[in-house]
């Protein structure tokens, strides 16, 4: 039934004009509803972009041969000698441990040659991805993190990548858009502050913070993680000590004992869920916090990894190990920090990088 038919029947006197007017209004309402429910080109394009973003993030899960290559490239301080490259390799599994659409969590487990075992697992870093986040943590130097609220322009269409250390404590985070063009799917962060990496934290104290641009891109056989970093001295007038390029490759491979890593994760996942929950509570409760990485019993990450090992081997009940880990995390964290001057330094360094 359409408007031309209604006009014809009205003129022929077959039905009353009141009835026809009612039918006409109903048809108009149906048409308006149909138009409202039909997504426009912009909505369809956004949905397709979101789908491709998710596919790219999820594509990083898998089994890999990994290489880690970090090289200082140029010195900015007179007399400073570039350090030798850091090069290691091994195997790693990356597993999706949570996916609710707009939140994806990827856990990395290394597999390395052991001293007494053929191959042994080591819990490695974790990366969480959040679509259009309202806030993120950020490192502001001197072992201090703060929570920053994000405005609409910074959030719209973008993903936050939040990177956590082996003990699930925060490391760095940034917000940017995934891009899909020229045959490449990639995510590139703005310059982001980070604490010193574990590979250098215990060996040197001649700089205070890394400011890095972080890019992750899919490749035909896996993916690559590129990091362009400046090593910054903050203790006097802020200045760059040296630049460093990092290239970590993840090449699909099943040439290792994948089950070694799978077994470790399956047997400790409950413990690590409790650890993640405690760190999450701290970030929800505190606007800014400091993490003391060394305690009376050694490095925090070593203590927490040891608890996971004891729980896995049956030396501790899982609940007991998790409770002790929560206490360790609380004892190593304080909100008695001042970020006023650090914020000024952050803004100055961001302006210069």
């Amino acid at each position: 039934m359409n408007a031309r038919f209604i006009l014809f029947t009205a003129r022929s006197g077959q039905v009353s004009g009141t009835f026809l007017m009612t039918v006409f209004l109903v048809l108009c309402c149906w048409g308006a509803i149909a138009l409202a429910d039909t997504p426009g080109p912009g909505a369809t394009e956004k949905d397709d972009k979101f789908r491709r973003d998710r596919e790219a993030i999820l594509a990083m899960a898998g089994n890999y041969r990994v290489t880690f290559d970090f090289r200082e490239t140029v010195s900015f301080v007179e007399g400073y000698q570039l350090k030798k490259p850091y090069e290691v390799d091994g195997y790693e599994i990356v597993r999706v441990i949570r996916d609710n659409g707009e939140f994806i969590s990827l856990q990395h487990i290394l597999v390395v040659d052991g001293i007494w075992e053929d191959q042994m697992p080591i819990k490695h870093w974790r990366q969480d991805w959040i679509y259009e986040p309202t806030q993120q943590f950020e490192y502001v130097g001197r072992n201090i993190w703060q929570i920053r609220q994000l405005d609409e322009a910074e959030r719209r269409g973008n993903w936050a990548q939040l990177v956590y250390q082996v003990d699930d404590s925060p490391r760095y985070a940034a917000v940017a858009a995934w891009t899909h063009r020229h045959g490449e799917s990639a995510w590139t962060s703005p310059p982001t502050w980070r604490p010193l990496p574990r590979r250098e934290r215990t060996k040197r104290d001649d700089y205070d913070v890394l400011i890095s641009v972080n890019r992750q891109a899919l490749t035909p056989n896996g993916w690559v993680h590129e990091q362009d970093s400046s090593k910054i001295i903050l203790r006097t007038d802020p200045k760059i000590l040296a630049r460093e390029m990092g290239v970590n490759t993840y090449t699909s491979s099943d040439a290792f004992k994948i089950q070694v890593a799978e077994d470790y994760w399956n047997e400790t996942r409950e413990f690590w869920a409790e650890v993640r929950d405690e760190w999450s509570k701290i970030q929800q409760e505190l606007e800014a916090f400091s993490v003391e990485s060394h305690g009376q019993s050694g490095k925090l990450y070593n203590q927490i990894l040891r608890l996971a090992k004891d729980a896995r081997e049956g030396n501790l009940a899982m609940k007991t190990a998790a409770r002790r880990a929560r206490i360790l995390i609380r004892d190593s964290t304080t909100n008695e920090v001042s970020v006023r001057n650090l914020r000024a330094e952050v803004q100055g360094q961001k302006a210069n990088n």
Side-chain angles (χ1 to χ4, degrees), residues 102-118:
E102 296 186 349
F103 177 91
I104 301 171
S105 184
L106 303 177
Q107 178 64 58
H108 295 235
I109 306 290
L110 270 170
V111 177
V112 299
D113 292 335
I115 298 176
W116 296 284
E117 306 167 80
D118 182 18

Side-chain angles (χ1 to χ4, degrees), residues 113-233:
D113 292 335
I115 298 176
W116 296 284
E117 306 167 80
D118 182 18
Q119 290 185 326
M120 60 178 289
I122 299 176
K123 182 179 178 295
H124 207 194
W125 62 295
R126 185 178 103 242
Q127 49 176 323
D128 287 353
W129 293 87
I130 305 175
Y131 184 65
E132 295 188 342
T134 58
Q135 64 180 29
Q136 69 170 58
F137 66 76
E138 64 179 11
Y139 185 67
V140 294
R142 299 173 192 163
N143 239 30
I144 298 172
W145 286 260
Q146 68 177 13
I147 305 302
R148 183 170 69 85
Q149 303 301 315
L150 305 176
D151 60 36
E152 177 64 22
E154 195 172 4
R155 300 173 52 236
R156 191 182 305 120
N158 292 339
W159 290 80
Q161 184 203 40
L162 298 88
V163 171
Y164 298 87
Q165 311 196 72
V166 297
D167 57 5
D168 284 322
S169 61
R171 179 155 172 72
Y172 61 87
V175 178
W178 275 89
T179 59
H180 312 280
R181 55 175 178 262
H182 310 308
E184 178 197 50
S185 289
W187 182 91
T188 305
S189 77
T192 303
W193 280 41
R194 309 177 178 188
L196 272 63
R198 282 192 305 124
R199 59 187 163 84
E200 294 197 331
R201 193 183 309 158
T202 58
K203 298 178 181 178
R204 55 189 299 183
D205 59 1
D206 53 350
Y207 74 100
D208 303 297
V209 68
L210 284 173
I211 298 181
S212 305
V213 173
N214 170 38
R215 180 169 60 249
Q216 293 179 217
L218 302 185
T219 64
N221 298 312
W223 56 284
V224 62
H225 185 187
E226 300 167 278
Q227 302 166 71
D228 182 0
S229 302
S230 297
K231 297 182 175 182
I232 307 296
I233 301 171

Side-chain angles (χ1 to χ4, degrees), residues 62-65 220-223 250-254:
N63 308 320
Y64 299 105
R65 170 76 176 179
N221 298 312
W223 56 284
Y250 293 75
T251 305
S252 294
S253 173
D254 293 331

Side-chain angles (χ1 to χ4, degrees), residues 75-77 230-233 238-243 349 353:
S75 166
F76 291 93
V77 172
S230 297
K231 297 182 175 182
I232 307 296
I233 301 171
K239 59 184 176 181
I240 300 174
L241 173 67
R243 288 250 207 270
Q349 288 299 331
N353 288 272

